[in-house]
Amino acid sequence: MIALAVVAFTGFSGYAALLPAAPLWVVREGTSDSAGAGAVNFVLLGATVATQFAVPWLIRRLGWGPVLAAGMVLLGLPSLLHGLTADLAPTLALSAVRGVGFGILTVAASAAAVLLVEPRRRGAAVGAYSLALSVPNVLLMPSGGWIGDTWGFWPVFLLGAVPLLGIPACFALSRHLPERSTQAPDLPSGTPAGRTTYLRLIPPSLILLTVTLAGGGIITFAPQLVAVPWLSAVGLFAFGLAATLTRWRIGAFSDRVGVDRLLWPFVILIVLGLSALAWVVRTPVGTAQVAAWVATCAVVGISYGALQSLTMLQAFAAAGPRRVGAASAVWNAGFDAGTGTGALLVGAVALGAGFGPAMALTAALCLLTLPWAIRSALRAR
């Protein structure tokens, strides 16, 4: 778990630093508008999703260590090249390469978290893994755009290369995992995941998709939602800290209470939080609105974090011990597809109608998943 924590911390540090900063880079130093800025993270996460379903196959062919290390190289090295140009086309190309690395990291690391422990402690393990990856989100995601605006973008690009420091931990982690396998140890080999497995994974994936769609919009456009740069950092810090704490603690709590019973309250909470946020950001947030801005970001962050862990645990339970790799790929694809689509959708709607209506749309999409969450709770009785 220590080696996994190092991999998660360094890998997600590179991801978190550039997630708000790279879109801002093409706006501040290039000639792009909000739609172009949204495309930066859309391409990043589109490449991530395109990669994720191949990761279990890559691990079977090459082994855990080489695959994880390759992911860290592809995620970290392109960050150093971002500073050479703020033109949109090369920025999109570098984002695509980073997306491949991030796709490898997300699927392999979350599968490893499950494979390192017995099923009854799965929630606690997912919570600990989530804490390690969320700390960079709390520290670097709020500050990436602010550092770029205040001190220049090169310090952010150097932070984006931190995944390269985690390569030794990739090989240390690989020694404790089933050799070239993404299923639970001591089980006979199963057939590849089929149609039934993927159908079971649809409900948690849809909930996750809408939640991360909202999160992607907030993370990408926080610097543009405020009138004063430091307010972006404060809002994202509140969002990230709330998400980190709930994502960490909800795992162990769900081991005792059950995952299915916990979904629907957090779906309702995120709908209410996003609705309030839509009202706050209908005009750029100023210092007079700092309390409302921070409070709404924190409320959204609570549900954002909790629903990540809960849907991950529900996905692994639905897939079964022989389909850990498939569950990890589908869950991470839902997470990153939602984040990338949120960046593109919120940017496109904001271009025509403003950020208030754009965030209201994300609240409506989250509300559509409430029947699935309620159905899970009723089934658990």
Side-chain angles (χ1 to χ4, degrees):
M1 289 301 293
I2 292 174
L4 176 62
V6 172
V7 171
F9 182 86
T10 55
F12 278 83
S13 291
Y15 165 77
L18 288 188
L19 198 64
L24 190 64
W25 168 245
V26 298
V27 172
R28 293 282 193 269
E29 304 297 328
T31 58
S32 295
D33 54 22
S34 63
V40 173
N41 284 345
F42 180 78
V43 168
L44 167 75
L45 295 167
T48 298
V49 173
T51 302
Q52 284 167 330
F53 289 97
V55 174
W57 178 83
L58 287 172
I59 291 172
R60 288 194 298 270
R61 296 283 293 180
L62 303 175
W64 285 90
V67 170
L68 274 167
M72 301 293 260
V73 171
L74 293 172
L75 180 58
L77 189 59
S79 178
L80 300 176
L81 303 178
H82 267 297
L84 301 181
T85 176
D87 291 343
L88 184 60
T91 300
L92 293 178
L94 291 172
S95 295
V97 175
R98 293 179 60 246
V100 173
F102 190 59
I104 293 172
L105 170 66
T106 52
V107 173
S110 56
V114 172
L115 292 171
L116 288 173
V117 298
E118 61 272 19
R120 66 184 180 84
R121 299 188 62 200
R122 182 176 292 168
V126 167
Y129 161 70
S130 299
L131 178 65
L133 68 86
S134 296
V135 169
N137 291 340
V138 175
L139 298 177
L140 298 179
M141 204 174 288
S143 58
W146 176 77
I147 291 172
D149 263 340
T150 307
W151 294 339
F153 284 87
W154 264 110
V156 186
F157 297 143
L158 291 174
L159 287 171
V162 165
L164 299 175
L165 302 178
I167 291 174
C170 295
F171 292 97
L173 173 62
S174 68
R175 293 196 294 268
H176 301 278
L177 295 167
E179 185 177 359
R180 301 194 180 193
S181 174
T182 56
Q183 72 175 43
D186 304 323
L187 286 175
S189 296
T191 58
R195 181 171 175 269
T196 301
T197 299
Y198 290 115
L199 287 175
R200 290 173 182 166
L201 294 172
I202 288 176
S205 298
L206 286 174
I207 295 173
L208 179 70
L209 182 72
T210 58
V211 168
T212 52
L213 187 148
I218 295 170
I219 293 164
T220 300
F221 293 106
Q224 299 172 58
L225 297 176
V226 298
V228 183
W230 64 266
L231 284 175
S232 168
V234 171
L236 283 177
F237 179 79
F239 174 82
L241 181 61
T244 296
L245 293 176
T246 51
R247 190 174 180 184
W248 170 36
R249 298 308 304 166
I250 201 72
F253 184 63
S254 70
D255 283 339
R256 300 191 299 271
V257 176
V259 171
D260 294 336
R261 293 186 177 93
L262 297 174
L263 282 170
W264 68 268
F266 288 105
V267 171
I268 292 175
L269 185 61
I270 199 168
V271 170
L272 295 175
L274 287 169
S275 300
L277 185 64
W279 177 258
V280 172
V281 303
R282 66 194 190 281
T283 58
V285 179
T287 53
Q289 302 162 289
V290 61
W293 165 245
V294 171
T296 51
C297 286
V299 169
V300 174
I302 288 169
S303 294
Y304 180 75
L307 288 168
Q308 285 178 53
S309 286
L310 293 173
T311 54
M312 178 184 285
L313 290 166
Q314 195 177 55
F316 284 123
R322 290 190 177 90
R323 305 288 185 268
V324 170
S328 181
V330 171
W331 185 90
N332 281 286
F335 182 99
D336 296 316
T339 305
T341 303
L344 192 66
L345 179 65
V346 170
V349 174
L351 196 61
F355 284 109
M359 297 311 301
L361 177 60
T362 66
L365 292 173
C366 288
L367 183 61
L368 293 177
T369 68
L370 184 58
W372 279 297
I374 293 174
R375 183 183 176 187
S376 294
L378 293 175
R379 190 175 59 242
R381 286 186 175 181

